[in-house]
Amino acid sequence: MFGNYLIGLREGLEASLVVCILIAYLVKTDHKDRLAPVWLGIGLAVTLSLAFGAVLQFGSSTLTFQAQELLGGTLSIISVGLVTWMVFWMKKTARNLKSELQGQLDAALAVGTGALVLTAFLAVGREGLETSLFIWTAVQATGNGIRPLIGAVLGLLTSVVLGWLFYRGALKINLAKFFTWTGAMLVVVAAGVLAYGFHDLQEGDFLPGLHALAFDISTAIPSDSWYGTLLKGVFNFQPNPTVLQVTAWCLYLVPVMALFLAPARTTTPAAGAGANAGAQAKATKAG
C-alpha cells in the first residue's frame, strides 16, 4: 500500500505543480480571463487518464488468462520504461520547469484559446497517462485487493493538497531534493514492477524458467503475513522469485540507481576559455 501511495504522491505532485505554475502565471500576468481554457484542458487530461485506467482494468478482465498475462507483463515493462524516463527527466528539469511552462504559455497566449487548451491538456495529460499506467501495473503486481488502489488514491489526494499549499505559498520545500529522494524510491518500486512483469510473461508461457526459483523463503516470510504483505506492498517483494525475476531486478536496479544518484556533470567555462586562449597563443607564436 505504501509503494502505491508513493507512486500516487510522486506522480500526482508533478501534475499538481504543473497546474499551479500554469494558473499562477496567468493570474500574475493579468490573464485571469484565459483561465477557463486552461481548466478545460486540465479537465480533458484528467478525464482521459481516468478513462485510460478504466480501459486497462475492465478491458483486461475480459481477456483469456494467457492474454491477461501477456498484457500485464508487457504493460509492466513499458510502464517501468516510462517511469524511468520520467524520474531522470524531472531530476534534470525540476529547476527549470517553471520557466519552460511559462514559455509555452506565452506562445499559447499569442496563438489563441485552442492553443491554451492544448498546452494545458498536453502538460497534464502526459503525467496523467503515466500515472494511470504505472498505478495499474503496480496494483496488479501487489495483488492485495483494493488496498493498493486506496494507497494510490490517498497519494493522489495528498499531492492535490500539497499542490494547493504550494499555490497559496504556505509550503516551501527544496523540490530538487524532494524529487531526488522520491525518484530513488520509485526506482526501487519500478524494479519490483519489472520483475513482476517478467513473471507474468513466464506464467503465460511467453518466457521460460517459471519453475526455476532463485530461492524460496516463503516459510520464513509467508506472503500472507503482515510483514510479507508490507514488503510486497512497499517493494513488490516475492519470497520465491524465479531466476529470471531476480536477474531482471538486479540488472535494472543497480545501474539505474547508480546513474540516478550520480552527481550531475557541470562544465567549467573558465577552464574551456583558458584552453582556447592557450591554443590561440600557440597559434600566434607559430605564426
Side-chain angles (χ1 to χ4, degrees):
M1 183 171 178
F2 175 76
N4 292 282
Y5 174 83
L6 174 65
I7 294 169
L9 174 63
R10 176 62 159 71
E11 301 284 322
L13 187 57
E14 287 186 26
S16 296
L17 288 175
V18 169
V19 172
C20 289
I21 292 170
L22 293 176
I23 300 302
Y25 186 65
L26 288 178
V27 172
K28 289 182 179 180
T29 55
D30 294 325
H31 287 99
K32 291 184 180 180
D33 57 318
R34 313 301 294 274
L35 286 175
V38 172
W39 281 117
L40 176 60
I42 293 170
L44 291 174
V46 172
T47 302
L48 176 64
S49 302
L50 292 175
F52 181 58
V55 169
L56 288 176
Q57 179 61 34
F58 297 109
S60 62
S61 63
T62 62
L63 301 175
T64 63
F65 172 77
Q66 192 173 29
Q68 285 181 2
E69 298 303 295
L70 177 61
L71 177 66
T74 303
L75 289 182
S76 294
I77 295 172
I78 292 174
S79 69
V80 169
L82 288 174
V83 168
T84 304
W85 170 84
M86 178 269 300
V87 295
F88 278 97
W89 176 82
M90 182 54 73
K91 178 185 178 183
K92 179 181 178 182
T93 61
R95 302 179 189 275
N96 304 317
L97 180 62
K98 183 176 180 179
S99 59
E100 289 184 7
L101 287 173
Q102 289 176 351
Q104 293 174 9
L105 262 185
D106 285 336
L109 284 168
V111 174
T113 301
L116 280 174
V117 175
L118 182 62
T119 298
F121 174 78
L122 294 176
V124 178
R126 183 195 62 193
E127 306 292 345
L129 291 176
E130 287 179 359
T131 302
S132 295
L133 178 58
F134 198 52
I135 286 178
W136 183 81
T137 54
V139 168
Q140 300 301 310
T142 51
N144 290 325
I146 198 172
R147 283 183 295 177
L149 184 59
I150 292 175
V153 172
L154 289 176
L156 289 172
L157 292 176
T158 304
S159 70
V160 171
V161 174
L162 290 176
W164 182 80
L165 290 175
F166 275 118
Y167 177 77
R168 301 300 299 179
L171 185 62
K172 295 184 182 296
I173 63 174
N174 188 318
L175 289 178
K177 290 185 178 179
F178 175 84
F179 284 122
T180 296
W181 284 106
T182 55
M185 288 187 283
L186 265 189
V187 169
V188 177
V189 174
V193 172
L194 181 65
Y196 165 80
F198 276 98
H199 187 262
D200 261 4
L201 295 177
Q202 287 180 307
E203 285 191 325
D205 290 330
F206 295 100
L207 290 175
L210 178 61
H211 302 291
L213 301 183
F215 55 83
D216 188 352
I217 55 174
S218 53
T219 54
I221 307 179
S223 57
D224 56 352
S225 63
W226 69 267
Y227 46 91
T229 302
L230 179 64
L231 289 172
K232 187 173 185 178
V234 177
F235 302 110
N236 288 310
F237 173 78
Q238 185 177 337
N240 55 345
T242 65
V243 173
L244 181 59
Q245 281 183 274
V246 174
T247 302
W249 188 88
C250 292
L251 289 179
Y252 171 83
L253 181 65
V254 175
V256 171
M257 185 67 80
L259 288 173
F260 182 74
L261 295 179
R265 294 183 178 180
T266 57
T267 58
T268 55
N276 291 333
Q280 291 176 358
K282 291 181 180 179
T284 302
K285 290 181 179 179

